[in-house]
Amino acid sequence: DTEVTQTPKHLVMGMTNKKSLKCEQHMGHRAMYWYKQKAKKPPELMFVYSYEKLSINESVPSRFSPECPNSSLLNLHLHALQPEDSALYLCASSHQLTSGVTDTQYFGPGTRLTVL
Amino acid sequence: AQKITQTQPGMFVQEKEAVTLDCTYDTSDQSYGLFWYKQPSSGEMIFLIYQGSYDEQNATEGRYSLNFQKARKSANLVISASQLGDSAMYFCAMREGPENTGFQKLVFGTGTRLLVSP
């Protein structure tokens, strides 16, 4: 099973709202990722969690707040977003490279976010 | 500096024909990994195929094969017997970062949009 689930599929929010994106995987992966993808562009890495600890923050504005409550769940809390934050937000997970298996990242279907 | 280059913004192919999507990369690492993903209009990034830098054989997965030419730093994706459902954006990506960090950053190319016609 190589399934990563994301909810919601679509989200429309105002600039003063607080919302959260959720990602879940049950593949035993210990690395989880958030990407942002604008239209007609490749995904851009935002955050990486490794063993539930934040390992990489690619200089993402503080209005995006990630959280990894356990090894299967990854959240992205959104607050005071700007219209330019409208994008497809993709979650991914992978094994660790040192575990002796390929570190292929498996992606969820994404959340299409529109900020009004 | 751009590390993954996909020079074909769009490609057209007829159903049942084979098509090659180009990807060149730049790295000074001895150990690296190359991935191809498919992204339909629905948005999900679907993993297709992986090639490790030390793999001597070209990777194959069903109708997908990777033409890996290490000296030329190219990792082209070959799709045989194209189907209408193959119409999508295709991204080449490379793993970068030291191996002992346990997780790897992916660097993506700009993508190639493939359109399969009946």
Side-chain angles (χ1 to χ4, degrees), chain B:
Chain B
Q2 189 172 4
K3 295 190 176 183
I4 294 282
T5 303
Q6 294 181 254
T7 57
Q8 306 154 314
M11 288 286 285
F12 295 88
V13 67
Q14 272 206 306
E15 206 176 2
K16 298 179 187 170
E17 291 185 349
V19 63
T20 298
L21 306 184
D22 294 342
C23 173
T24 57
Y25 60 92
D26 183 27
T27 181
S28 55
D29 292 342
Q30 295 300 307
S31 176
Y32 51 89
L34 295 153
F35 302 81
W36 276 93
Y37 286 88
K38 170 186 177 182
Q39 188 174 40
S41 56
S42 59
E44 183 174 1
M45 295 282 284
I46 301 167
F47 166 69
L48 296 178
I49 197 165
Y50 165 79
Q51 180 83 42
S53 57
Y54 292 122
D55 295 340
E56 294 184 354
Q57 304 246 357
N58 285 343
T60 60
E61 286 286 348
R63 294 186 299 111
Y64 304 107
S65 60
L66 205 152
N67 183 359
F68 182 47
Q69 298 188 41
K70 197 169 180 178
R72 298 178 63 180
K73 294 190 174 178
S74 74
N76 299 337
L77 177 71
V78 181
I79 305 175
S80 63
S82 297
Q83 301 172 355
L84 294 178
D86 293 335
S87 293
M89 181 72 91
Y90 288 79
F91 289 99
C92 180
M94 181 173 68
R95 168 208 305 143
E96 70 167 6
E99 286 188 17
N100 60 0
T101 59
F103 56 85
Q104 305 298 309
K105 291 173 64 171
L106 280 184
V107 177
F108 287 87
T110 51
T112 296
R113 182 163 296 283
L114 177 66
L115 185 60
V116 181
S117 59

Side-chain angles (χ1 to χ4, degrees), chain A:
Chain A
D1 183 9
T2 57
E3 189 178 64
V4 178
T5 59
Q6 287 187 246
T7 54
K9 289 182 74 73
H10 300 274
L11 178 63
V12 179
M13 60 186 290
M15 289 191 284
T16 58
N17 291 157
K18 284 186 182 181
K19 297 286 185 184
S20 296
L21 309 185
K22 180 179 170 182
C23 173
E24 193 166 4
Q25 59 88 14
H26 294 286
M27 295 179 277
H29 291 166
R30 302 310 295 271
M32 296 187 76
Y33 311 76
W34 279 115
Y35 288 86
K36 173 182 177 180
Q37 186 179 23
K38 300 285 276 185
K40 299 188 192 325
K41 297 287 188 184
E44 297 175 357
L45 183 66
M46 300 174 72
F47 303 104
V48 181
Y49 273 83
S50 177
Y51 288 92
E52 295 92 72
K53 287 186 171 29
L54 182 64
S55 299
I56 292 180
N57 176 340
E58 293 283 272
S59 304
V60 179
S62 60
R63 57 186 184 268
F64 295 91
S65 175
E67 178 197 20
C68 191
N70 60 55
S71 59
S72 301
L73 278 176
L74 186 66
N75 298 322
L76 186 62
H77 302 298
L78 315 172
H79 174 54
L81 294 193
Q82 304 295 311
E84 59 265 28
D85 296 322
S86 298
L88 178 68
Y89 288 84
L90 292 162
C91 172
S93 69
S94 75
H95 283 300
Q96 303 283 50
L97 189 60
T98 54
S99 65
V101 296
T102 180
D103 60 335
T104 299
Q105 292 185 27
Y106 294 94
F107 286 79
T111 294
R112 287 195 187 274
L113 174 68
T114 303
V115 182
L116 301 176

